[in-house]
Amino acid sequence: MAFIAGTADSTPAPAQVHRGQVVRCLLVAGAALFSLAVTAQPAHGIPPILAGQFAVACSNVEQDFSRITAGASVEDYWEGSPNGDAGRYVTDLLIDPSHSFVFQLPIPGDSNLFSKYAGSTFPYANLICYPTDPANPRLGYVLPTGNVVPHMQRGAEPPIFPTGSGRFPIVLFSSGLSGSPLSGDHVEFLKFLASSGYIVVAPFHGDPRFADVKLEDFEDTFYALLHYKDFVALQAVRPLSLSLALDVVVNHPDFRDHVDVANVGAFGASMGGQSILLMAGAALTTSVGQSSSRVLLDSRLKAAVGYVPYFGIDAYPAFGRDLKGLDGVTLPYLAISGTADTTAPISVTERGIRRLTNTRQLVALTDLEHGFDSRYAGEIFTWTIKFLEGQLSAAPVPRAESARMTSIVGGMEDIQRIDYMAPTPVKTAGGVPTEAIVVEYYSNALDHFFITAEPAEAAMLDAGIIVPGWLRTHYGFKLRPSGAAVGRSACRFFGTPPLGPNSHFFTIDAGECALVKANPLWTYEGLAFMADVPVAGDCAADRIPVVRLYNNGLGGQASHRYTTSRYEMRAWQDRGWIIEGVVFCAIP
């Protein structure tokens, strides 16, 4: 099937404005006559999740608190705060470091990234929490702060997993700047993740060992210049410690038969949210002039959540000038940000999320400042679990629910600002694809969108030679190829040159297809793909609604767009487009 949409030279004649309006009237009549959906994608609020189904146990972090020096706190050791020129770290307190997941991290010799620490080696301790048998007899370990490490292993005791439980996905946990897995309420969140069915791996980053700084002080130019090189090293080392922690756990004899190495997620708070993206290949700002360099690309990471994630500030973005260091990052990422956060401003985070091209979501918690606020626990926990379930599970229902959810009901105000669930790779049977990715393109000159499920046509558009000017929007969805045994065929039309609009139109409604076929302003091009049919304006629980928008004749020509993103629907509705309703049901 040939792509025949016009180029920027195809300016509509004045008469075409009237014809486009006639086509619109026909389509509206068809919608009424053939019962097409006439509502937008419905809102989907879900109740909060505050606990998982599993009991939780954790690795050995037994400590001798009598070693704490006068005037110091236990947090000084957990977080690596220096004592003048003397270093402090959690390993100074551990009673049995050989059974406490302590490893040595060799820092690469790149002084641009690692400054004076290049080529040196630092110890890293880790806390691991995991689902356990409810009959686990081990006692909890009470910390000086009052928090408890549940069913903690002592000495060489191996972990106890639920009987017959199989393998669990992994979640790497990265604390904020100068935080630790045991500081504040972090251990409570680790317990929550583990109770939800994840093996949680949390390094003690020990940030002050590299730079004892505060994020909010980087608004001060002199402060930034004074501390910048060490601050860069601090940021660059963090993803290395996460990657090595993953290495240790997946290869450890106590865990290797219980971890699902194909499903590795991550949760990062504040700077931890940045660390996860650096682990996934983002480029880090390495100078006050905003040059940037990649630190690492660990392809084992499949999805991540950033809570009040640090993307930098306007003066010093974390990922290079204009956050371009995020270009090319394919990690599915959910950012949960606070509208009152001045340390990690949501405005900067939003610009960063827009640069990502895979699954990407941004949820705004109204009036939340930087840090953990227990009033928002239901929103934080639920968005996190549903996103990780949707990305790390192969099951269509969790993926579809993650794509469709819009809010957490009954709690604080949460607003979804950006949403997009990218399709998974197509399945095949006997080497033949049984699914098809529908790729979306946009022509800035025409202000028109176009979709195709044909790889050859997409390749031709990407080349930009035969029909120049069309670029991928990095939105799309998954259906089935034309001729598949399941679903309903989609008719594909193009405006008849030179009479009809210079755009394409798709429908799976047989009556609408017949109506448009009979209209001389449109040329029938054949069947484009197969799609499941919405019922009463919605899709089944294992499908994602695809909504059709109409440009209301703006620019003098009829044009349509097909999208799963509520954010895109709102954005184009604000530009004068009309939401026509759910027209397809996509495979998650």
Side-chain angles (χ1 to χ4, degrees):
M1 187 182 298
F3 179 90
I4 58 174
T7 65
D9 294 330
S10 303
T11 304
Q16 285 181 286
V17 177
H18 173 70
R19 293 189 181 102
Q21 292 169 343
V22 171
V23 171
R24 170 63 182 158
C25 291
L26 285 171
L27 292 180
V28 171
L33 180 60
F34 300 111
S35 301
L36 287 179
V38 293
T39 58
Q41 183 176 349
H44 184 56
I46 65 172
I49 302 170
L50 295 175
Q53 62 176 312
F54 294 99
V56 176
C58 296
S59 62
N60 185 352
V61 286
E62 189 174 12
Q63 299 161 61
D64 181 354
F65 300 114
S66 68
R67 300 177 190 173
I68 299 174
T69 58
S73 69
V74 67
E75 287 92 345
D76 289 332
Y77 289 83
W78 293 345
E79 297 167 6
S81 298
N83 180 19
D85 294 331
R88 282 186 296 219
Y89 189 54
V90 65
T91 50
D92 298 333
L93 304 181
L94 292 174
I95 292 175
D96 190 1
S98 63
H99 295 107
S100 299
F101 285 92
V102 177
F103 57 81
Q104 299 296 318
L105 174 65
I107 298 177
D110 184 349
S111 60
N112 181 53
L113 283 170
F114 304 105
S115 185
K116 62 189 178 187
Y117 304 104
S120 59
T121 300
F122 277 75
Y124 274 83
N126 296 269
L127 174 63
I128 304 170
C129 296
Y130 49 87
T132 191
D133 192 292
N136 186 330
R138 295 170 185 162
L139 299 177
Y141 182 61
V142 181
L143 300 168
T145 57
N147 289 330
V148 178
V149 179
H151 297 295
M152 193 187 77
Q153 298 166 229
R154 269 82 168 178
E157 290 177 338
I160 299 174
F161 289 97
T163 303
S165 57
R167 296 177 182 269
F168 294 98
I170 304 170
V171 170
L172 298 172
F173 178 89
S174 184
S175 60
L177 177 65
S178 300
S180 83
L182 299 180
S183 299
D185 292 318
H186 284 169
V187 70
E188 297 303 313
F189 192 66
L190 267 63
K191 289 155 64 173
F192 169 73
L193 289 171
S195 76
S196 301
Y198 297 96
I199 294 176
V200 188
V201 182
F204 289 76
H205 285 302
D207 295 323
R209 295 183 294 172
F210 302 93
D212 195 6
V213 297
K214 292 180 172 58
L215 291 177
E216 54 269 26
D217 290 338
F218 272 78
E219 293 281 4
D220 184 321
T221 302
F222 178 75
Y223 182 92
L225 289 170
L226 185 64
H227 295 279
Y228 209 87
K229 294 296 290 184
D230 288 346
F231 183 52
V232 169
L234 178 158
Q235 296 171 88
V237 170
R238 283 175 140 255
L240 300 184
S241 65
L242 289 163
S243 187
L244 188 53
L246 182 58
D247 289 340
V248 171
V249 172
V250 301
N251 292 298
H252 195 281
D254 286 348
F255 286 92
R256 63 190 176 201
D257 295 330
H258 299 278
V259 296
D260 182 358
V261 295
N263 284 301
V264 179
F267 178 93
S270 187
M271 186 165 283
Q274 177 207 21
S275 302
I276 300 301
L277 286 166
L278 293 174
M279 183 181 175
L284 170 66
T285 303
T286 55
S287 71
V288 176
Q290 300 182 15
S291 58
S292 61
S293 296
R294 174 181 280 184
V295 178
L296 177 68
L297 176 57
D298 193 327
S299 60
R300 294 174 296 179
L301 197 56
K302 303 302 181 186
V305 177
Y307 172 66
V308 292
Y310 180 70
F311 279 59
I313 56 179
D314 288 326
Y316 303 105
F319 303 108
R321 186 175 300 278
D322 298 325
L323 299 169
K324 290 181 180 179
L326 293 169
D327 293 354
V329 174
T330 59
L331 179 71
Y333 193 89
L334 161 65
I336 304 173
S337 295
T339 62
D341 189 340
T342 57
T343 302
I346 191 172
S347 59
V348 182
T349 302
E350 183 166 357
R351 293 200 299 273
I353 294 297
R354 290 175 186 271
R355 300 200 79 99
L356 301 179
T357 57
N358 204 323
T359 296
R360 51 199 181 272
Q361 295 185 11
L362 172 61
V363 173
L365 302 184
T366 302
D367 294 331
L368 175 72
E369 298 178 353
H370 199 69
F372 181 75
D373 186 331
S374 60
R375 296 177 302 162
Y376 295 84
E379 287 74 24
I380 299 165
F381 292 176
T382 308
W383 277 106
T384 295
I385 289 300
K386 288 302 181 181
F387 184 80
L388 291 175
E389 284 180 351
Q391 293 301 312
L392 301 181
S393 171
V397 171
R399 285 187 57 79
E401 183 171 38
S402 174
R404 298 174 64 165
M405 65 183 287
T406 55
S407 65
I408 311 304
V409 298
M412 305 298 285
E413 185 177 48
D414 57 324
I415 300 172
Q416 190 181 56
R417 288 199 179 183
I418 295 176
D419 70 296
Y420 173 58
M421 173 75 80
T424 56
V426 299
K427 296 178 180 178
T428 61
V432 178
T434 58
E435 299 174 334
I437 302 295
V438 177
V439 183
E440 184 185 61
Y441 290 85
Y442 176 70
S443 167
N444 185 65
L446 292 171
D447 195 24
H448 286 182
F449 291 90
F450 172 72
I451 57 173
T452 180
E454 298 183 18
E457 188 170 50
M460 180 268 290
L461 289 174
D462 291 337
I465 298 174
I466 299 175
V467 184
W470 291 88
L471 298 175
R472 292 189 183 225
T473 63
H474 300 296
Y475 287 93
F477 45 89
K478 185 163 64 174
L479 300 173
R480 296 186 182 87
S482 181
V486 180
R488 184 179 292 177
S489 297
C491 297
R492 168 172 158 161
F493 296 91
F494 178 68
T496 305
L499 304 174
N502 186 14
S503 65
H504 280 82
F505 178 75
F506 300 82
T507 180
I508 62 170
D509 185 273
E512 190 174 48
C513 179
L515 181 70
V516 181
K517 277 183 179 179
N519 190 327
L521 302 181
W522 293 95
T523 297
Y524 175 65
E525 291 190 321
L527 301 177
F529 44 75
M530 306 288 286
D532 292 341
V533 182
V535 176
D538 202 357
C539 296
D542 62 348
R543 293 292 181 264
I544 301 175
V546 180
V547 170
R548 189 170 75 197
L549 294 89
Y550 168 64
N551 73 343
N552 203 22
L554 298 174
Q557 290 192 328
S559 181
H560 293 82
R561 186 181 186 187
Y562 305 80
T563 185
T564 62
S565 170
R566 288 172 296 273
Y567 166 77
E568 289 296 299
M569 295 175 211
R570 293 191 300 268
W572 288 84
Q573 188 177 32
D574 289 345
R575 294 179 58 170
W577 288 51
I578 296 171
I579 297 177
E580 293 192 322
V582 179
V583 292
F584 313 136
C585 295
I587 302 169

